[in-house]
Amino acid sequence: MKIFGEPPITDMNMQLLIDTAKKLVADHKGLLAMDESNPTCNKRFAKLDIPQTVEARRAYREMIVTTSGLSESISGVILYDETIRQKKSDGTPFLKILTDAGIIPGIKVDTGAKDLAAHPGEKITEGLDGLRDRLKEYFQMGARFAKWRAVIAIGEGIPTRSCIEANAHALARYAALCQEAGLVPIVEPEVLMDGGHTLERCRQVTEETLRTVFVQLNCQRVLLEGMILKPNMVLPGFTCLPHQEVEESAIGEQQFQVRLTDRRPDEEQDIDEVANITVKSLWRTVPAAVPGIAFLSGGQEAELASTRLNVMNLRFKSQLPWALSFSFARAIQQPALEIWQGKESNVKAAQQALLHRARCNRAARRGEYTAVMEKK
Ligand code: 13P
C-alpha cells in the first residue's frame, strides 16, 4: 500500500511503526511516563525527604515496573537512560519485566530544555547530536518508541515565533530519526501551565504550536501513521484570575457555546469547557492520519486529569479520527510516590495506588470514569 507523502523509510520499518503506534493506543490503554530525568526525580524525592540516590531511584522504578496488573491499563512505559539499564533487586532487567508483561518499553531521548539564546524566558530542547547512534542502541535493547519534549512558555511577549519554529523543527528532526531507527516518536510540544494566562490564550498558543509542528513533521517526511502526539490539554495558567470568555465551538454536527464566567481553572464546572476547547483545538490542527493523541498531565491534580480526559471521550470519541489517550507522569505516579516514601514496607500500598490511577485513566478513555471509582 502506498501512503500519501510516504517517507523514504524501509517497508519493514513502516509496518513496524504503524503496528507499534496502533498497539500503544489499542484497547483503551495508555502510556505511563516514568522518564523523569535524575534532577527532576531527585526534586520530587527531596519534597518527600526520600534520599536522592541511584539506589532510591532504582527501588522506586522497581516498585512501578513490578506492579502486578499494570499491563491491563498500560500499553507502554517511557523510561529514562538510567532506568532502561536498571535491574530488579534479584537481577532481572526492568526491560525483561516489562516485555514479559506485554508492556512496550519506550525511552526519553531529548537531553533537556535549555535557554534559547537571545530569547529571554524561552527554551529550546536539545539532544539531536549523536541521536542516530543512541536510537540504534535503544532499539537493540528492546525499546520500540521514544519521547522528546519541547516546552513553550506563555508570558508577556512570549512565545515568539522563533521559539515555536525552532522547537517544532527539532521535534520533526527527532521524529524522522526515530522512524529511520524503527522507533515510534512521541512528539511532545508542551504549552506550559505556569503563569496567569487565560484559557483562550492557551488555546491560541496551542493551536499555533501544533500547526507549526505538523508543518515541520511533513517537511521532514515523518510518517504520520507511525507517530503519537503528546500535547497539553488546553487549560488556563495556574495563577489565572477569574475571567469572562464566550466562544462558539463546532465539532462535526454539534455546536457548543463555551462560556467561562468567574471560574477558577480547577473548578468542577470548567471541565466541559476545557474538554470542548481542547478537542476543538486538536480537531483544527491534528491530521486524521495520526493514530493517537496521548495527553501529558502538566501538573494537573490526578483526579482532575482523569475527569477531563473522560469528558472528552464521553462527548466526542465517536466523532474523532484519532484515539484520545493519556501519557501521564505525575497524574499516575504522584499518589503512589507519596505513599511509597522510599520505604519497602509501603511498596504494596503504593502499587495499589499506581494501579488505581492507571485503571481510572483507562476508564476515562472509554468515557466510563466516575467519582464512584475514587471512593475508597
Ligand atoms: P506529566 O504528566 O507529569 O506532565 O509528565 C508528562 C511527561 O512525560 C512530561 O514530559
Side-chain angles (χ1 to χ4, degrees):
M1 184 183 67
K2 285 277 171 205
I3 294 171
F4 178 73
E6 193 174 320
I9 45 181
T10 63
D11 284 352
M12 201 182 75
N13 267 10
M14 194 180 295
Q15 202 49 56
L16 175 64
L17 294 167
I18 293 170
D19 291 348
T20 306
K22 272 193 199 146
K23 278 187 208 154
L24 290 173
V25 293
D27 205 17
H28 299 104
K29 296 183 192 181
L31 307 179
L32 165 59
M34 48 178 288
D35 60 330
E36 298 83 5
S37 63
N38 292 346
T40 303
C41 190
N42 288 345
K43 244 187 267 165
R44 292 187 188 156
F45 279 11
K47 278 193 189 146
L48 296 166
D49 278 333
I50 300 168
Q52 294 110 65
T53 61
V54 183
E55 175 48 26
R57 291 193 297 270
R58 193 208 58 76
Y60 176 57
R61 267 66 184 252
E62 173 169 339
M63 180 275 287
I64 295 176
V65 301
T66 57
T67 297
S68 124
L70 197 61
S71 63
E72 289 160 22
S73 311
I74 299 296
S75 55
V77 301
I78 315 174
L79 303 164
Y80 181 61
D81 186 72
E82 177 180 87
T83 322
I84 199 169
R85 301 167 197 281
Q86 281 176 327
K87 298 179 175 133
K88 215 178 131 185
S89 42
D90 70 3
T92 318
F94 287 172
L95 277 171
K96 179 165 165 41
I97 297 168
L98 291 167
T99 43
D100 285 355
I103 295 177
I104 304 173
I107 179 78
K108 169 194 172 79
V109 296
D110 66 72
T111 54
K114 310 283 158 58
D115 289 343
L116 179 64
H119 291 73
E122 297 194 287
K123 303 273 184 198
I124 178 71
T125 300
E126 296 188 345
L128 287 171
D129 289 350
L131 183 57
R132 178 174 271 133
D133 291 338
R134 288 197 288 131
L135 293 175
K136 235 182 249 166
E137 187 197 2
Y138 289 136
F139 184 90
Q140 278 161 6
M141 289 172 86
R144 288 296 174 268
F145 71 105
K147 186 191 98 170
W148 178 291
R149 172 176 177 255
V151 292
I152 306 294
I154 300 182
E156 201 151 329
I158 62 170
T160 58
R161 212 33 234 158
S162 35
C163 173
I164 293 176
E165 279 179 11
N167 276 292
H169 180 76
L171 273 168
R173 284 204 51 213
Y174 137 83
L177 281 162
C178 283
Q179 292 192 336
E180 181 188 88
L183 295 158
V184 167
I186 305 287
V187 174
E188 181 179 6
E190 175 174 5
V191 176
L192 296 173
M193 287 174 72
D194 306 81
H197 55 271
T198 62
L199 180 119
E200 170 57 14
R201 179 88 180 109
C202 179
R203 181 193 68 74
Q204 289 165 1
V205 173
T206 301
E207 288 185 18
E208 187 185 348
T209 301
L210 292 177
R211 257 184 222 112
T212 312
V213 165
F214 280 99
V215 166
Q216 288 294 328
L217 289 169
N218 281 309
C219 189
Q220 295 300 323
R221 302 181 174 173
V222 171
L223 178 74
L224 299 183
E225 291 85 344
M227 63 161 277
I228 302 287
L229 178 72
K230 176 165 174 169
N232 50 285
M233 294 183 192
V234 178
L235 298 166
F238 284 125
T239 54
C240 176
L241 295 169
H243 54 280
Q244 280 214 332
E245 287 170 39
V246 176
E247 187 167 337
E248 288 295 328
S249 183
I251 304 278
E253 297 295 300
Q254 291 190 35
Q255 288 282 338
F256 304 100
Q257 189 175 73
V258 175
R259 182 182 293 279
L260 305 176
T261 46
D262 295 346
R263 290 173 189 165
R264 294 302 305 245
D266 52 352
E267 280 183 294
E268 183 87 9
Q269 62 263 46
D270 271 6
I271 288 164
D272 281 351
E273 288 94 329
V274 164
N276 293 346
I277 292 180
T278 300
V279 172
K280 184 176 77 170
S281 291
L282 296 169
W283 179 264
R284 285 172 164 175
T285 54
V286 184
V290 173
I293 295 175
F295 291 106
L296 58 95
S297 58
Q300 296 174 73
E301 194 272 322
E303 292 180 20
L304 198 50
S306 304
T307 305
R308 285 168 169 157
L309 179 63
N310 185 67
V311 172
M312 284 186 233
N313 278 307
L314 191 63
R315 300 187 73 162
F316 303 115
K317 193 173 171 27
S318 63
Q319 303 168 59
L320 300 175
W322 4 257
L324 278 189
S325 184
F326 57 92
S327 175
F328 297 156
R330 284 162 287 180
I332 294 181
Q333 288 182 57
Q334 195 58 29
L337 176 61
E338 285 168 17
I339 292 169
W340 178 63
Q341 300 268 347
K343 298 192 181 100
E344 177 61 32
S345 54
N346 294 336
V347 164
K348 281 273 166 295
Q351 289 179 328
Q352 278 310 310
L354 188 83
L355 198 59
H356 175 66
R357 288 262 51 87
R359 283 182 176 150
C360 287
N361 289 312
R362 183 168 186 233
R365 277 210 54 192
R366 297 178 188 273
E368 290 173 2
Y369 169 74
T370 61
V372 176
M373 286 188 77
E374 302 293 354
K375 295 231 165 79
K376 305 287 179 305

